[in-house]
């Protein structure tokens, strides 16, 4: 288990418990002390994880042992058939998807895919998709529509890839076209942020009828680091940027941007993949049931109304209605 | 109450204004100077080098709308500070200061009027307002512009100039990409033409939503157009970028623009294009 800096007290205690546990196997006298420490560890975890700062959530969202898209697919679906390629240029390894079943129901499930070790991370381009990734997503969503299958998208990217070839092949156009397509898609779309929801790269597959975030994830127009470098002209202010950006699941629920927060096991999804997957699956089943009752027109209208209502502004009487230069 | 009361109470007239102070203006591309009047008469384009000075909604409206006349839409929508965002400066103070400095209320204005006799809805961004960044107000004004075009079957032109989404509105500004794209999807379904005009610069979330979604994507010469900024890309790939990288000419070459249009010819060419798709030549 890899511990984050703010988890250090927990790490120390867990190490002690482990040592004591080994000793207690031969010495019964140590049992009460062991139980006391375990209780203390629970309390410590509870107190640390109920008072996380926004920056700490960002760190948890990036935890290298968190479940990624394929992990969730393997935990919550059966019969998964992965589909490759955008039919134009390439198969993007950073954005994956295919048909599968969840509790016997067909879905199209797709998401950004990060790598686990150094080699794998490079292979998956750190979860940063190129235009062909977004165009593959386009193709798969249109396939789902053709066969009347609901779409589930899992968002986990530090951003769309900012590379020379990505620009050359139209990164912006690929994302823009997906947004317009998703608005009109005649099957349900359910989107869930499972890690990092960085800007257009995340939204490019994320225009759900319903949108959820796992408890320890972030979703924002920009990463705290980039925000710091632009607005403060230095990388030093990432923690404050995270605070100002209001980018956690509870923030977005309060802002009415997402429909709900999916609880994670105490300490984060990486501590218990089964439990995290179970919570995600429950939410998906509930949403699938609800959206199944809507006809295609209702799905499209509902989706467009949902996004049209987003934003915050005020109405002021005009001071000069007849402006003359 | 008189029955002939004028329906449009909000007719505005744009006169040409707002250029660098002083009679003589330096052309950045060449270092030469040009008389301000000459520049204005040539649509703020240097006749010698073809350098396009950046202009805002006031100037675009003044020459795209016949006689510079139009009815404003959504002017009453003003920005708020929903996240109480603060970097080195409070967002709220930044808004007030920028409004004072620019005389604008946010980074996009919408006008309904005639272009060479043709009804059009034109939305134009202003780079001078926090880098032309797209926040909730830009999204809402554009949404209304698009609705207006759809409901009245009037062609839509959006002139973009923007550094991207407005960070100080975080996820709310991100969602403006979804909002404007959804509205454009409806416009497409209604078969109303939409021309996206990209000017220098058009980047980030604006490019990745409405700017790239035109039936026709066009640009002024030399404009910077892209998703990621060149500095970020250089850092990511660790090598130098081609000289013409992310210019309008580069995008045309890679298939993302229909054509590049010098500003003095813009009005005429956009009108011709719209008349073609609206079958106006056949009825005339």
């Amino acid at each position: 288990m890899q511990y984050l800096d703010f988890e250090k007290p927990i790490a120390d205690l867990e190490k002690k418990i482990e040592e004591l546990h080994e000793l207690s196997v031969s010495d019964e006298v140590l049992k009460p002390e062991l139980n006391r420490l375990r209780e203390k560890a629970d309390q410590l975890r509870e107190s640390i994880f109920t008072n996380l700062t926004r920056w700490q959530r960002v760190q948890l969202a990036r935890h290298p042992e968190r479940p990624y898209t394929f992990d969730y697919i393997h935990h919550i679906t059966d019969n998964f058939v992965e589909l490759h390629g955008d039919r134009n240029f390439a198969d993007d390894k950073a954005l994956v998807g295919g048909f599968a079943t969840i509790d016997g129901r067909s879905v199209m499930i797709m998401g950004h895919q990060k790598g686990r070790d150094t080699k794998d991370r490079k292979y998956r381009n750190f979860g940063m998709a190129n235009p062909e990734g977004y165009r593959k997503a386009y193709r798969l969503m249109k396939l789902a529509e053709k066969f009347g299958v609901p779409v589930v998208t899992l968002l986990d990217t530090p951003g769309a890839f900012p590379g020379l070839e990505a620009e050359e092949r139209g990164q912006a156009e690929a994302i823009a076209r997906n947004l317009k397509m998703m608005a009109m898609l005649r099957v349900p779309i359910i989107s869930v942020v499972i890690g990092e929801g960085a800007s257009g790269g995340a939204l490019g597959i994320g225009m759900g009828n319903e949108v959820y975030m796992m408890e320890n994830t972030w979703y924002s127009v920009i990463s705290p680091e980039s925000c710091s470098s632009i607005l403060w002209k230095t990388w030093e202010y990432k923690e404050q940027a995270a605070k100002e950006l209001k980018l956690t699941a509870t923030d977005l629920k309060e802002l009415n941007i997402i429909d709900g927060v999916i609880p994670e096991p105490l300490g984060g999804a990486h501590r218990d993949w089964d439990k995290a997957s179970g919570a995600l699956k429950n939410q998906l089943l509930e949403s699938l049931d609800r959206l199944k009752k809507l006809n295609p027109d209702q799905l499209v209208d509902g989706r467009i109304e949902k996004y049209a209502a987003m934003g915050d502004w005020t109405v002021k009487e005009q001071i000069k209605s007849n402006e003359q230069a | 109450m008189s029955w002939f009361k004028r329906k449009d109470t909000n007719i505005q007239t744009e006169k040409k204004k707002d250029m660098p102070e002083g009679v003589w203006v330096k052309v950045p591309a060449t270092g030469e100077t040009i008389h301000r009047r000459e520049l204005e008469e040539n649509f703020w384009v240097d006749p010698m080098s073809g350098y396009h000075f950046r202009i805002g909604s006031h100037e675009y409206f003044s020459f795209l709308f016949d006689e510079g006349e139009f009815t404003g839409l959504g002017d009453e929508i003003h920005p708020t500070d929903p996240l109480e965002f603060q970097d080195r400066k409070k967002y709220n103070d930044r808004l007030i200061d920028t409004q004072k400095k620019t005389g604008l209320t946010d980074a996009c204005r919408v006008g309904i009027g005639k272009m060479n006799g043709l009804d059009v809805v034109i939305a134009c961004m202003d780079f001078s307002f926090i880098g032309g960044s797209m926040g909730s107000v830009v999204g809402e004004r554009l949404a209304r512009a698009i609705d207006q075009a759809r409901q009245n079957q009037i062609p839509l032109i959006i002139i973009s100039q923007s550094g991207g989404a407005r960070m100080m509105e975080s996820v709310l500004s991100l969602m403006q990409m979804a909002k404007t794209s959804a509205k454009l999807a409806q416009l497409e379904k209604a078969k109303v033409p939409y021309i996206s005009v990209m000017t220098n610069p058009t980047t980030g979330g604006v490019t990745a939503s409405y700017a790239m979604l035109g039936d026709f994507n066009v640009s002024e010469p030399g404009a910077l157009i892209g998703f990621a900024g060149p500095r970020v890309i250089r850092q990511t790939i660790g090598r130098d970028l081609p000289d013409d990288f992310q210019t309008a000419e580069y995008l045309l070459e890679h298939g993302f623009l229909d054509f590049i249009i010098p500003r003095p010819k813009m009005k005429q060419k956009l009108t011709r294009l719209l008349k073609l798709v609206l079958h106006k030549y056949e009825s005339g």
Side-chain angles (χ1 to χ4, degrees), chain B residues 238-277:
Chain B
R239 60 190 155 104
D240 283 337
L241 303 169
D243 283 342
D244 66 341
F245 186 60
Q246 293 185 319
T247 59
E249 293 71 19
Y250 179 94
L251 265 86
L252 181 71
E253 200 50 41
H254 285 89
F256 292 99
L257 296 179
D258 287 283
F259 52 82
I260 292 170
I261 182 73
R263 199 180 292 152
K265 294 181 176 166
M266 184 186 290
K267 181 173 181 176
Q268 188 198 3
K269 187 147 180 179
L270 299 189
T271 306
R272 188 199 301 167
L273 183 57
L274 289 175
K275 282 170 97 172
L276 282 165
V277 297

Side-chain angles (χ1 to χ4, degrees), chain A residues 184, chain B residues 146-154 182-194 215 278:
Chain A
M184 288 297 191
Chain B
I146 299 165
D147 281 347
Q148 186 76 17
R150 179 171 55 84
Q151 285 153 8
N152 299 295
Q153 295 276 312
I154 298 172
K183 286 286 172 188
L184 285 172
Q186 290 182 310
L187 187 73
E188 174 163 279
K189 201 177 170 199
K191 294 192 187 336
V192 175
Y194 161 40
D215 295 312
L278 295 171

Side-chain angles (χ1 to χ4, degrees), chain A residues 103-171:
Chain A
D103 263 12
R105 281 178 264 189
S106 284
V107 293
M108 163 59 71
I109 186 162
M110 67 179 77
H112 306 95
Q113 180 64 37
K114 289 181 175 176
R116 197 65 69 186
D117 57 31
T118 310
K119 201 178 138 202
D120 194 27
R121 275 188 203 123
K122 207 176 157 211
Y123 181 71
R124 299 290 174 192
N125 201 28
F126 305 88
M128 294 185 283
N130 274 286
E132 49 273 21
Y134 294 101
R135 290 178 182 132
K136 172 162 73 175
Y138 187 107
R139 187 173 79 84
L140 299 191
M141 287 193 208
K142 291 304 278 184
L143 274 177
E145 180 183 56
K146 177 176 178 177
F147 299 113
V149 174
V151 174
V152 174
T153 65
L154 304 179
L155 280 46
D156 189 12
T157 180
F161 187 57
L164 191 154
E165 289 82 8
E167 294 288 323
E168 198 171 59
R169 295 197 289 274
Q171 188 71 285

Side-chain angles (χ1 to χ4, degrees), chain B residues 56-70:
Chain B
S57 60
H58 284 287
E59 291 78 21
Y60 281 107
F61 285 178
S62 76
F63 68 83
L64 286 177
F65 286 117
D66 297 343
E67 323 299 334
E69 266 193 20
F70 64 95

Side-chain angles (χ1 to χ4, degrees), chain B residues 51-114:
Chain B
Y51 178 82
H52 283 55
F53 281 82
R54 180 179 296 141
I55 53 173
S57 60
H58 284 287
E59 291 78 21
Y60 281 107
F61 285 178
S62 76
F63 68 83
L64 286 177
F65 286 117
D66 297 343
E67 323 299 334
E69 266 193 20
F70 64 95
T71 305
L73 181 72
D75 292 335
E76 71 282 10
I77 301 163
H78 284 231
T80 61
D81 178 11
L83 306 181
E84 294 172 7
F85 192 98
Q86 179 173 1
D87 49 272
R88 291 181 302 174
K89 195 170 174 179
K90 284 183 178 169
Y91 176 42
N92 204 36
D93 294 344
R94 203 183 281 270
L95 284 172
I96 293 166
D97 292 350
T98 311
Q99 284 169 342
K100 272 191 198 145
K101 201 178 80 193
T102 61
L104 299 162
T105 50
D106 209 299
C108 173
R109 289 168 73 221
V110 180
I112 306 162
K114 300 229 184 239

